[in-house]
Amino acid sequence: MSLNCSLWQDDSMAVKHFAFAKISEVTEQCFLLFNLILLMFLASLMGNALIALTIWTNPVLHTPMYFFLVNLSLLEIGYTCSVIPKMLQSLVSEARRISREGCAIQMFFFSFFGISECCLLAAMAFDRYMAICSPLHYATRMSHRVCVQLALICWGVGCMVGLGQTNYIFSLDFCGPCEIDHFFCDLPPILALACGDTSHNEAAVFVVAILCISSPFLLIIASYGRILAAVLLMPSPEGRHKALSTCSSHLLVVTLFYGSASVTYLRPKTSHSPGTDKLLALFYTVVTPMLNPIIYSLQNKEVKAALRRTLFKKNVLTIG
């Protein structure tokens, strides 16, 4: 059912408020989805926070690889918190309205954390490349200062792109309809509500998406191409297995993140459908952030051992 936008417009007929589309008219389905998303959201927050805390409190993990993993966990926490709370509210109440300013803020933080993660995954691939292909120079070339600079670049690029994209989208006029056919203020569904012909705007957003998603991905591909070549030249099977095992978690996370992002933002507009877009949105905003800490904790012996030490210390302190 379409909403009456006339109540949410000023005298210039510009839309000042939006509303998210109702997911289902069946109350039971909404509550079921609410509980499922809430559980995954809490699991994601706890998992990523625990990974960050474990690395922070265990000096043995104070290496470049785990420094970037802490940044990834913080990005995942921000990424989910920018979207899911409002999504949960919309599921179980009629308070699906969001102001134009609130929508812009949500879009900025979603873009900020998402683009930053794209860049950070590329930095993590570069770190693995240096560790495997240039082990003798790894300590000097991937010093703490270099790692901090790379992380700041990732966060800075995300901030600049997020500000630019958000300002570009919300400089347009919105004169109705006011219902966003999505769970949150993502770029394509908001752009679809703008007045007049937005084909040029859509092309510009598509180009930025290609640059921000494809460029880091190409760096990842290049890094792993060099890694694979170096691994194949290793004389011992044990050395090859050890080198590849340090990359397996990162490769799986990259596959999950870039797979959903590419299908969402890089496919032609004609192949988009609201149902598919919403399903993909649930995957990359809820499922992937929950899986990342599980992947890193299960695939990495050092992280598993540090997690046991951290949890054991907490249990001892609680009992004491």
Side-chain angles (χ1 to χ4, degrees):
M1 183 177 65
S2 61
L3 297 174
N4 183 8
C5 292
S6 61
L7 299 176
W8 297 355
Q9 294 171 323
D10 60 13
D11 294 337
S12 64
M13 296 304 291
V15 172
K16 293 299 180 183
H17 291 84
F18 299 99
F20 299 110
K22 198 165 186 177
I23 298 173
S24 173
E25 296 295 334
V26 182
T27 305
E28 290 76 10
Q29 290 180 356
C30 290
F31 273 101
L32 179 63
L33 193 57
F34 171 87
N35 290 324
L36 183 61
I37 293 175
L38 178 61
L39 286 174
M40 289 191 288
F41 177 50
L42 294 176
S44 173
L45 291 182
M46 292 174 61
N48 283 292
L50 186 58
I51 288 286
L53 178 64
T54 299
I55 294 172
W56 183 266
T57 56
N58 285 270
V60 71
L61 298 181
H62 290 180
T63 63
M65 181 171 71
Y66 297 114
F67 170 79
F68 289 123
L69 183 53
V70 169
N71 279 267
L72 179 64
S73 295
L74 295 176
L75 283 172
E76 295 285 23
I77 290 171
Y79 189 68
T80 54
C81 288
S82 67
V83 171
I84 296 180
K86 187 64 179 178
M87 185 191 302
L88 291 172
Q89 182 190 26
S90 300
L91 277 169
V92 293
S93 74
E94 293 300 322
R96 295 179 285 116
R97 170 175 164 172
I98 186 171
S99 68
R100 179 172 174 146
E101 293 76 15
C103 193
I105 291 171
Q106 187 184 64
M107 179 182 290
F108 162 70
F109 279 109
F110 175 76
S111 302
F112 168 40
F113 291 121
I115 298 300
S116 297
E117 186 165 338
C118 284
C119 297
L120 186 70
L121 290 173
M124 294 173 79
F126 177 73
D127 169 67
R128 292 298 83 209
Y129 158 72
M130 292 300 300
I132 294 171
C133 299
S134 187
L136 298 178
H137 303 286
Y138 179 69
T140 54
R141 294 181 179 177
M142 293 301 293
S143 64
H144 181 69
R145 180 181 178 182
V146 171
C147 292
V148 170
Q149 289 173 342
L150 286 173
L152 288 175
I153 289 172
C154 295
W155 289 79
V157 169
C159 184
M160 288 188 293
V161 173
L163 282 174
Q165 288 279 71
T166 304
N167 181 66
Y168 180 68
I169 295 296
F170 282 90
S171 64
L172 303 173
D173 292 323
F174 298 92
C175 44
C178 60
E179 186 174 81
I180 304 169
D181 194 12
H182 208 43
F183 301 128
F184 62 95
C185 294
D186 200 3
L187 276 72
I190 294 297
L191 191 57
L193 301 180
C195 303
D197 181 18
T198 59
S199 56
H200 295 294
N201 308 93
E202 291 168 1
V205 170
F206 185 73
V207 169
V208 172
I210 288 177
L211 291 175
C212 294
I213 296 176
S214 299
S215 298
F217 185 67
L218 290 175
L219 290 174
I220 294 171
I221 294 296
S223 296
Y224 276 107
R226 298 291 296 273
I227 289 171
L228 182 60
V231 168
L232 292 175
L233 294 175
M234 291 181 178
S236 67
E238 293 81 7
R240 290 194 292 270
H241 176 74
K242 184 178 180 181
L244 291 175
S245 65
T246 64
C247 303
S248 59
S249 299
H250 180 255
L251 275 172
L252 188 52
V253 169
V254 166
T255 302
L256 290 172
F257 183 83
Y258 274 97
S260 56
S262 300
V263 173
T264 302
Y265 297 105
L266 299 184
R267 60 195 171 110
K269 182 184 176 182
T270 53
S271 64
H272 280 257
S273 68
T276 303
D277 290 344
K278 290 174 184 177
L279 188 62
L280 285 168
L282 280 175
F283 185 80
Y284 63 73
T285 58
V286 182
V287 179
T288 301
M290 179 192 68
L291 292 177
N292 287 353
I294 298 173
I295 292 168
Y296 273 102
S297 61
L298 291 179
Q299 295 278 335
N300 193 299
K301 293 181 180 179
E302 290 180 322
V303 172
K304 282 193 288 188
L307 277 170
R308 291 192 197 100
R309 289 194 296 269
T310 301
L311 294 173
F312 178 74
K313 286 178 184 178
K314 287 187 174 182
N315 289 335
V316 170
L317 290 173
T318 302
I319 294 171

